[in-house]
Amino acid sequence: MKTRILTTILILSCIALPAAAQTRDALPADVRHIVDSLRRAYAPDSRTAILDVDCTVADRHIMVRGRTTSAACRQALYDALRSAGYETVECMRRLPDTPLGADTLAVVRLSVCNMRSAPDFSAEMVSQAVMGMPVRVLDYDGWYLIQSPDDYIAWVHPAAIELMDRDEMQAWNRAEKAVVTSHCGFVRTAPRDDAPTVSDIVAGNRLRLTGEKGRFYAVEYPDGRTGYIPKADARPESEWRRTLRYDADAIIATAQTLTGVPYLWAGTSSKGMDCSGFVRTVLYMHDIIIPRDASQQALTGSRIEIAPDLRNLEPGDLLFFGRKATATSRERVVHVGIYIGGGRFIHSQGDVRTGSLDSQDELFDGYNLARLLFAARILPHIDRLPQLCTTPNNPYYRF
């Protein structure tokens, strides 16, 4: 009878208002160990995977609430708790779940979409996505919790995205696009330079290409709006991709066109960018997806311990800066730039600028030399590692 009563109480707590969950430290040690080990296995980086667990424990009965992006993790948690002798009431959500219905995909409909740490305009901006980019929709709380093609998870306002089901997403991904190649511009309501604007555009934006008229491409937005882009500001995606180059010279040349663009924390567009957002933006302009943050980018490609005379660096390598490891603390990456050769690198710090690791160079940057950690060679690994791929080989563009 006692067992039945406890189970009934836990079930009612699960389907009614959330019960007061026990804090991590208040949980039994074996439950803490199970949750921590699963977090290491399934969600070691909270920026790209979710495992939030709330538990209410009564004797050997446990109600498991929370959410995760991994069905395997949820099942592993239930199995581990049962193996430890707990009778479980299973209330954990696997994202995305049924409240979203069939529309668990979306496409960004603004030139730049701000991604925030919480569903509120006052919450910290943590990243951005750009127009035409497909995203997963994980949850809804007035705002949408999305995951972008670099797997970054954050909240966006409903005005930023157009919800789609899988068939609509396939149609969008397969349609010919106009890719914006200028750093800024406007879509017009008519094929005239003086026509009213539909919206602004930035480099990397993609819209459905529906035709052309004189000096303009006719385009359609993910939400069905239509307009005209000057041909000087965009190219048909198939033509653009045929002529793309992935070599260091081409990528450095693109990076240098952003010189002077202001630093913006969490920015990833030509309107403004932080250090890793700069790298991400430059590579996206070459159709390459790379992880969002510097500490994540540092785990891609092949690591290079930099020789004192820099002889083992090649143009196009990523340079990482931060706090060196000590006897009591681990190495910490906080900044990234692109090596351009001759001891020089280009990065976003205050604005996009070129610095040098050579003390005899007029552009010498002693501050960043003092915190230089290592380099990573990424260009040979494009489309050979899952974290470094062109959009045709990225899962988000293949729905």
Side-chain angles (χ1 to χ4, degrees):
M1 176 63 73
K2 181 181 177 184
T3 297
R4 207 175 304 159
I5 291 172
L6 285 170
T7 302
T8 301
I9 290 172
L10 291 174
I11 291 173
L12 289 174
S13 298
C14 184
I15 63 177
L17 292 174
Q22 292 176 253
T23 65
R24 178 188 177 281
D25 291 341
L27 292 173
D30 56 347
V31 175
R32 291 201 308 273
H33 174 74
I34 289 170
V35 172
D36 289 346
S37 63
L38 289 175
R39 180 167 287 110
R40 288 192 296 272
Y42 290 95
D45 188 339
S46 62
R47 296 166 292 186
T48 59
I50 293 174
L51 177 56
D52 296 333
V53 180
D54 288 336
C55 296
T56 300
V57 182
D59 291 340
R60 300 300 291 178
H61 300 263
I62 185 167
M63 180 177 70
V64 183
R65 294 169 301 188
R67 57 184 189 162
T68 180
T69 47
S70 170
C73 178
R74 181 177 62 176
Q75 189 58 52
L77 176 60
Y78 296 154
D79 292 345
L81 290 171
R82 283 192 289 268
S83 295
Y86 288 94
E87 183 173 335
T88 62
V89 176
E90 300 170 358
C91 302
M92 172 170 275
R93 300 167 58 211
R94 192 274 183 179
L95 303 179
D97 59 7
T98 50
L100 289 168
D103 299 328
T104 56
L105 303 171
V107 175
V108 177
R109 61 178 294 277
L110 303 179
S111 64
V112 181
C113 159
N114 295 330
M115 301 170 62
R116 299 188 181 275
S117 61
D120 193 280
F121 283 116
S122 63
E124 178 188 20
M125 189 169 82
V126 295
S127 189
Q128 293 178 319
V130 296
M131 186 187 295
M133 188 175 277
V135 300
R136 300 178 193 270
V137 181
L138 302 179
D139 205 356
Y140 178 76
D141 185 13
W143 291 41
Y144 289 104
L145 184 67
I146 68 164
Q147 191 165 29
S148 52
D150 52 15
D151 289 332
Y152 216 82
I153 296 173
W155 294 91
V156 299
H157 189 270
I161 59 174
E162 181 70 15
L163 296 178
M164 294 186 179
D165 61 27
R166 191 163 291 271
D167 289 343
E168 292 168 328
M169 179 63 80
Q170 285 180 348
W172 174 264
N173 277 340
R174 292 172 182 173
E176 175 72 315
K177 310 289 195 312
V179 178
V180 177
T181 52
S182 295
H183 289 312
C184 60
F186 294 93
V187 177
R188 305 283 178 176
T189 57
R192 303 191 319 271
D193 293 329
D194 60 350
T197 62
V198 181
S199 78
D200 73 320
I201 48 176
V202 299
N205 284 178
R206 303 183 190 193
L207 298 100
R208 193 192 305 264
L209 179 61
T210 59
E212 54 185 283
K213 193 165 185 180
R215 297 184 297 104
F216 291 81
Y217 292 120
V219 295
E220 182 180 345
Y221 288 74
D223 55 18
R225 288 175 295 163
T226 59
Y228 295 86
I229 295 180
K231 289 181 177 178
D233 291 338
R235 294 180 67 188
E237 184 178 32
S238 55
E239 173 190 310
W240 169 76
R241 189 170 283 126
R242 280 197 304 270
T243 58
L244 270 180
R245 291 169 50 199
Y246 304 111
D247 59 280
D249 287 346
I251 287 169
I252 290 167
T254 297
Q256 289 172 328
T257 67
L258 291 163
T259 297
V261 172
Y263 181 96
L264 175 65
W265 173 260
T268 63
S269 83
S270 47
K271 289 184 176 182
M273 58 204 77
D274 60 18
C275 63
S276 54
F278 167 65
V279 172
R280 183 178 181 267
T281 298
V282 169
L283 291 177
Y284 188 64
M285 290 173 67
H286 287 260
D287 207 29
I288 299 167
I289 303 288
I290 189 172
R292 167 65 186 90
D293 290 342
S295 59
Q296 298 169 316
Q297 294 171 0
L299 301 176
T300 64
S302 52
R303 177 167 170 144
I304 299 168
E305 301 302 333
I306 302 171
D309 60 1
L310 312 179
R311 69 180 181 279
N312 58 341
L313 291 179
E314 295 180 1
D317 290 345
L318 301 186
L319 301 183
F320 294 96
F321 307 83
R323 185 184 66 199
K324 296 183 169 106
T326 68
T328 57
S329 63
R330 294 186 299 175
E331 178 181 80
R332 185 181 177 213
V333 172
V334 299
H335 189 62
V336 61
I338 302 173
Y339 188 66
I340 63 178
R344 291 187 171 186
F345 63 101
I346 186 168
H347 63 137
S348 179
Q349 191 173 53
D351 61 2
V352 176
R353 59 180 62 194
T354 297
S356 176
L357 304 173
D358 180 356
S359 61
Q360 304 304 309
D361 193 322
E362 62 180 355
L363 298 180
F364 177 58
D365 185 343
Y367 171 71
N368 278 308
L369 176 61
R371 60 179 191 157
L372 180 63
L373 297 175
F374 59 91
R377 186 156 299 148
I378 63 166
L379 298 184
H381 301 285
I382 303 300
D383 282 336
R384 296 180 180 177
L385 292 176
Q387 307 95 336
L388 293 167
C389 59
T390 54
T391 59
N393 293 307
N394 181 281
Y396 289 71
Y397 292 82
R398 302 176 70 181
F399 287 119

